[in-house]
Amino acid sequence: MNIFIKVLVCFIAGAGAGIGTGFAGMSAAAVIGPVLATFLGLPPYQAIGIGLASDVLASFISAYTYKKHGNLDVKNSLPLLLSVLVMTVAGSLVASMLPDRTMGSFSQFGMLIIGLKFLIKPNNATKQQMTEMTPKQRIIRAIIGGVLVGFICGFVGAGGGMMLLFVLTSFLGYEMHMAVGTSVFIMAFTALTGGISHFAIGGMPDLGSLILCVLFTLVWARIAAVLANKASTKTLNQVVGIVMVVTSIFIIAFNMIF
């Protein structure tokens, strides 16, 4: 394969994934997996593994940026994080037993629906309103949400970030900036667990594509996270919704064409 084409495809995939991660807390695999499978011909399971690996550093750098601006809730997110990690492994094992074409459809349409939700009915919760829920209610909802999110992330290698954002805003009452920051924090660990599971089960992917995607995603995630923390809640809702809707339409369209 022409090296220029590989670099170009990885750059586009990494840019889209990084922007989605930094702005909307999305999983990088939501973009990288379908793009690499479609344009580089990589097996979907390995392409998703590359996406998850790219997500690790991108999510960590995004979480660090949100933390600097006071938009990361580590303590209260731990029950959600632990339940997500456990179910990510389970989802990855189930995915390895199924045909490639069964993977990804849910995340594509789910991302479209959730993106429209943020555009039509934006999240306007404040940091003060986040404290209204009792600790017991928060823990129960976090565990239930974590089980669902973790399985989805491990199964399709994508969708975990958007589902986390939905759980944090709709079930746990998080303010938008705090929700995105906490989402990318959790996704860093989820992506690490899912990536290791994918590589252990499916073998190492194309090393060149892996390195390129990791670097490009990292750079664009940092840029997007810095801009997101400077945006208003209204603007962030709009950007998150647009990023999700455009990404889902792009992926669905190319899957139909190719």
Side-chain angles (χ1 to χ4, degrees), residues 2 15 42 61 76 85 90 96 99 118 160 205 243:
N2 189 310
L42 296 182
I61 194 64
N76 292 319
L85 291 179
S96 68
F118 283 113
V243 168

Side-chain angles (χ1 to χ4, degrees), residues 113-123 237 241:
I113 293 172
I114 294 176
L116 290 173
K117 181 267 180 188
F118 283 113
L119 288 174
I120 297 171
K121 188 179 180 181
N123 172 51
N237 270 281

Side-chain angles (χ1 to χ4, degrees), residues 9 44 197:
V9 170
S197 300

